[in-house]
Amino acid sequence: MVLIFGGAYQGKLEYAMKEFNIGEEQVFTCTSDNLLAEVGPEFAIVDKIENWAWELTKAGKRPVEEIDLEALKDKIIIARDNSQGIVPLDEDERQFREDMGRLLMAVSKNSDKVIRVFCGLGEVIK
């Protein structure tokens, strides 16, 4: 597993596709309508995992308890880092921020490589 994370609009997906030579047809994008369980072997990249986590948080579930890391072991996971900036006033948004932090810690612990992308540039941190 590879984790690529960074702020919004920093070029995470473009970096991953170029760095690992992956086409658009191999990208699974999480939305509020799909679940990680739908990720099949044809996908190499799971993008916007924060959308999946947000839906779980809103439903009162903890993403770190729901994720099947074994099923994602051969995937590149892309996540937006929401740990910087002002702490949200909204309780759900604060919980989501905490949930994403815990989720990213679990994914990074189980990843062979962790890359932070800033301004389109990747920095390997593990």
Side-chain angles (χ1 to χ4, degrees):
M1 185 178 335
V2 174
L3 171 62
I4 297 176
F5 74 100
Y9 310 107
Q10 294 298 314
K12 298 176 294 293
L13 178 58
E14 294 82 3
Y15 174 86
M17 291 172 64
K18 183 177 179 186
E19 183 70 18
F20 295 96
N21 194 27
I22 295 171
E24 289 182 22
E25 70 282 355
Q26 294 177 283
V27 177
F28 179 90
T29 302
C30 295
T31 67
S32 59
D33 297 327
N34 63 27
L35 303 172
L36 286 180
E38 298 173 16
V39 178
E42 69 273 21
F43 297 108
I45 295 176
V46 177
D47 190 24
K48 300 186 186 303
I49 197 170
E50 65 274 3
N51 292 339
W52 171 80
W54 172 243
E55 292 302 318
L56 287 173
T57 298
K58 287 192 317 186
K61 298 179 180 178
R62 303 286 71 91
V64 74
E65 296 170 1
E66 300 292 326
I67 194 164
D68 182 356
L69 293 170
E70 183 63 26
L72 300 171
K73 69 181 178 185
D74 62 341
K75 308 292 183 202
I76 298 166
I77 309 297
I78 300 178
R80 180 176 44 112
D81 178 12
N82 67 342
S83 65
Q84 307 296 313
I86 299 170
V87 176
L89 292 174
D90 181 76
E91 185 177 338
D92 285 343
E93 290 179 14
R94 281 195 314 274
Q95 184 62 56
F96 169 63
R97 184 174 167 146
E98 182 177 328
D99 286 345
M100 273 304 294
R102 292 179 191 279
L103 178 63
L104 290 179
M105 286 190 301
V107 172
S108 68
K109 180 179 178 182
N110 288 278
S111 293
D112 299 314
K113 191 177 219 181
V114 178
I115 303 167
R116 179 177 182 252
V117 174
F118 182 72
C119 296
L121 302 172
E123 176 184 17
V124 177
I125 59 175
K126 176 181 176 185

